[in-house]
Amino acid sequence: MTTILRGRNIGVTFGKFQAVRDVDLDIETGHVHSIIGPNGAGKTTLFNVLSGRQRLTAGRIAIDETDVTAQPEHLRSRIGMARSFQINSLFWTFSVLENMRLAVQARDYRIARSVLRSDADRSEEVSVATSLCVSIGLGDQLHAVVDHLSHGQQRRLEIGLALASKPRLLLLDEPTSGMGVDDLPAMASLIRSLKRDGYTVVLVEHNMNLVMNLSDRITVMHQGRVLAGGSPAEISSDGRVREAYLGKGLDRA
Ligand code: ADP
Ligand code: MG
């Protein structure tokens, strides 16, 4: 096992309020590692700290052995980290393939900087973008306008756009939020295929079914701290975890 991301003593305060405190986190290469916890536990704050969007007020973060604590999001993406795009960053009136081409262009400096792109560059860009669309299960929707996709398809496209930067470590914040049950299996199988393809995935997710089925490791947060960490089996039988969810039962938290 190699550790791709290591967080130590991570703390975030907003004014006097401590949203995250003393969090240690080890993400192993190739794992799907989920971060769960009741509302207000600090999951999104921690997620933003890992991606570099939110400054931490204590602690440090390393990717591989490189300390990235002070690095903003765009620098972390150069060493292989990407977060899924937010749904409001999609171009609604463009097709799936056009959105993907823009993401590929944005990440491929050689192509993006040249107004005089050659036909070979263009066709390579289209072929890279097409295969990315296929990998997220939208191969039969290449020319569909994004606005006409189902919510679940749009959420998969967000993940696909992140893949255009060729990350090794992918951060997904609530990929199933707002999604109908019909779209859940496709998202589950996308995350499974990401793992199969060798990506390391950090997943913040409410849907316990999905978390328990897909995760190699789970970190449970509660009131800004790590309450428990372990395999899905260990977490689902942990009394403190059940208590933190106020007896809701983990499968419906
Ligand atoms: P979760 O994602 O687990 O629901 P969050 O990380 O969003 O939790 O929030 C953790 C706590 O920090 C909450 O009490 C929330 O109100 C607070 N919080 C989050 N962001 C801010 C902010 N920008 N300013 C002040 N308080 C915040
Ligand atoms: Mg949240």
Side-chain angles (χ1 to χ4, degrees), residues 43-44 173-174 204:
K43 304 179 298 292
T44 298
D173 191 12
E174 302 274 1
V204 172

Side-chain angles (χ1 to χ4, degrees), residues 40-60:
K43 304 179 298 292
T44 298
T45 305
L46 178 63
F47 183 91
N48 288 334
V49 162
L50 298 180
S51 79
R53 185 161 293 187
Q54 167 73 52
R55 285 173 67 95
L56 44 67
T57 41
R60 56 191 195 282

Side-chain angles (χ1 to χ4, degrees), residues 13-131:
T13 55
F14 295 113
K16 286 184 178 165
F17 180 71
Q18 186 129 30
V20 170
R21 66 173 77 207
D22 285 335
V23 169
D24 289 344
L25 192 66
D26 287 310
I27 309 290
E28 306 298 337
T29 304
H31 271 181
V32 174
H33 190 130
S34 296
I35 298 172
I36 67 170
N39 269 336
K43 304 179 298 292
T44 298
T45 305
L46 178 63
F47 183 91
N48 288 334
V49 162
L50 298 180
S51 79
R53 185 161 293 187
Q54 167 73 52
R55 285 173 67 95
L56 44 67
T57 41
R60 56 191 195 282
I61 297 170
I63 298 177
D64 298 327
E65 298 300 321
T66 308
D67 191 301
V68 299
T69 311
Q71 287 189 7
E73 205 160 33
H74 68 278
L75 290 180
R76 291 184 200 188
S77 82
R78 283 197 202 154
I79 57 172
M81 175 189 275
R83 67 183 286 155
S84 63
F85 279 58
Q86 300 296 295
I87 204 149
N88 58 16
S89 64
L90 301 175
F91 291 98
W92 298 96
T93 59
F94 287 17
S95 72
V96 168
L97 183 60
E98 286 163 344
N99 271 268
M100 193 64 86
R101 282 185 67 177
L102 288 169
V104 170
Q105 280 173 19
R107 304 308 160 109
D108 191 333
Y109 183 67
R110 180 178 57 86
I111 294 176
R113 69 194 284 264
S114 170
V115 182
L116 304 170
R117 284 181 296 148
S118 68
D119 287 347
D121 281 344
R122 263 177 230 277
S123 87
E124 185 193 324
E125 173 196 304
V126 171
S127 99
V128 169
T130 301
S131 66

